Amino acid sequence: MKYYTVPATYEMAVKMANLVRYSCLEAFDEVAGPGFMKANFPKLIYLTGNWEYRSSTSFILGTAEGGKKILLAGTNFIDRYLTSADAINTYYLKTVYHEFTHILNQTKPYSDDFKQITGTGYVADKWVNSPYVDENYCLEHGFITAYAQHSDVEDYAEMFATYITSTPEKWEGWMQIAEKAGQRKNLEAKLQNVRTYMNEYWKIDIDKLRKVYQRRENDIVNKKIVLTDISL
């Protein structure tokens, strides 16, 4: 009840469903087997046509609740962002992985060690303001994105989702920026925490998942996948 939203159109909802299916559900199936997603991915996915805008000028791309449902916003704009991997990641696919990370964390909590790595750096809702919103600033303070500065919960989800949806070259570029400020070790410690958690609790190799995701995303960008197809 906090936002003015509009419905997702049927045509765009079909595309979003196929986008999630091919890039997320089937990617995890390929790495972890079909039983993992059947047991852990929420059975309810709510779609809205536009983004949910806050008074702070930021807007919500998606949310996850209680391990049971995910909301994805901006469905009616999907055609606008299918032309590049960066755009798809920014507005849709990174959000799906981010929110699913919350679902997994709600089921099996991650180690308290994670929140201690940059424990004094979290700024809650101030992350949308200067200087926190600047990409270099957050990297130079041990956070992979501006939103990661909100809280350890968001930091964790951003680490996993950003790693999976970013190419090795882009990731290394960020690490070099962080290294100049002496923060690369903190980001790598966070990533190792995520890697260990996903392997020990869920038997998932995040490096293998990353390769599978990158291949499937390229299929979408190169139009090898027909997102309007509703056949099973």
Side-chain angles (χ1 to χ4, degrees):
M1 302 299 291
K2 296 180 180 178
Y3 306 99
Y4 291 100
T5 59
V6 299
T9 67
Y10 174 80
E11 293 79 7
M12 295 302 105
V14 169
K15 291 184 178 183
M16 180 69 87
N18 278 320
L19 192 68
V20 173
R21 173 187 59 82
Y22 189 76
S23 65
C24 184
L25 275 71
E26 293 181 355
F28 274 99
D29 285 350
E30 189 174 333
V31 174
F36 172 77
M37 293 303 269
K38 288 178 181 178
N40 296 290
F41 198 79
K43 303 303 185 287
L44 299 174
I45 301 178
Y46 287 83
L47 305 178
T48 60
N50 60 327
W51 318 114
E52 295 187 341
Y53 285 90
R54 293 178 169 132
S55 59
S56 63
T57 72
S58 66
F59 55 91
I60 293 174
L61 300 173
T63 60
E65 295 183 25
K68 298 184 182 298
K69 68 179 180 180
I70 284 179
L71 178 143
L72 299 175
T75 303
N76 290 347
F77 305 122
I78 196 168
D79 280 344
R80 186 183 302 177
Y81 301 114
L82 287 176
T83 56
S84 76
D86 284 343
I88 293 175
N89 287 335
T90 298
Y91 293 102
Y92 300 110
L93 297 185
K94 189 164 83 74
T95 300
V96 175
Y97 276 81
H98 176 108
E99 298 306 330
F100 185 43
T101 306
H102 287 323
I103 298 291
L104 295 178
N105 293 162
Q106 289 163 6
T107 304
K108 296 183 179 180
Y110 53 84
S111 167
D112 286 340
D113 293 342
F114 182 88
K115 67 181 68 175
Q116 304 303 322
I117 297 173
T118 50
T120 61
Y122 297 113
V123 298
D125 289 338
K126 292 180 181 179
W127 71 271
V128 298
N129 301 323
S130 180
Y132 310 110
V133 73
D134 180 72
E135 180 181 272
N136 282 9
Y137 179 91
C138 60
L139 291 168
E140 291 166 354
H141 288 78
F143 298 95
I144 196 61
T145 66
Y147 189 39
Q149 299 166 104
H150 180 279
S151 59
D152 65 280
V153 174
E154 303 302 343
D155 192 6
Y156 203 95
E158 282 292 276
M159 282 300 296
F160 177 71
T162 304
Y163 184 75
I164 297 299
T165 60
S166 301
T167 64
E169 294 76 18
K170 180 171 286 189
W171 185 268
E172 178 57 27
W174 290 330
M175 293 304 102
Q176 290 180 12
I177 293 172
E179 187 170 10
K180 292 178 181 178
Q183 288 294 328
R184 180 171 186 149
K185 62 180 180 180
N186 283 335
L187 285 167
E188 290 181 342
K190 290 180 181 181
L191 180 61
Q192 185 57 44
N193 190 294
V194 172
R195 181 180 281 112
T196 300
Y197 167 85
M198 293 299 294
N199 184 53
E200 290 186 355
Y201 284 100
W202 303 107
K203 308 302 179 187
I204 291 175
D205 181 335
I206 65 172
D207 296 298
K208 182 177 180 181
L209 178 62
R210 186 195 209 187
K211 291 179 181 178
V212 170
Y213 172 84
Q214 300 289 331
R215 169 168 48 81
R216 287 175 173 270
E217 182 184 52
N218 287 333
D219 289 344
I220 293 170
V221 173
N222 294 324
K223 296 181 170 56
K224 293 182 180 180
I225 302 301
V226 180
L227 296 179
T228 56
D229 185 2
I230 61 172
S231 62
L232 297 177

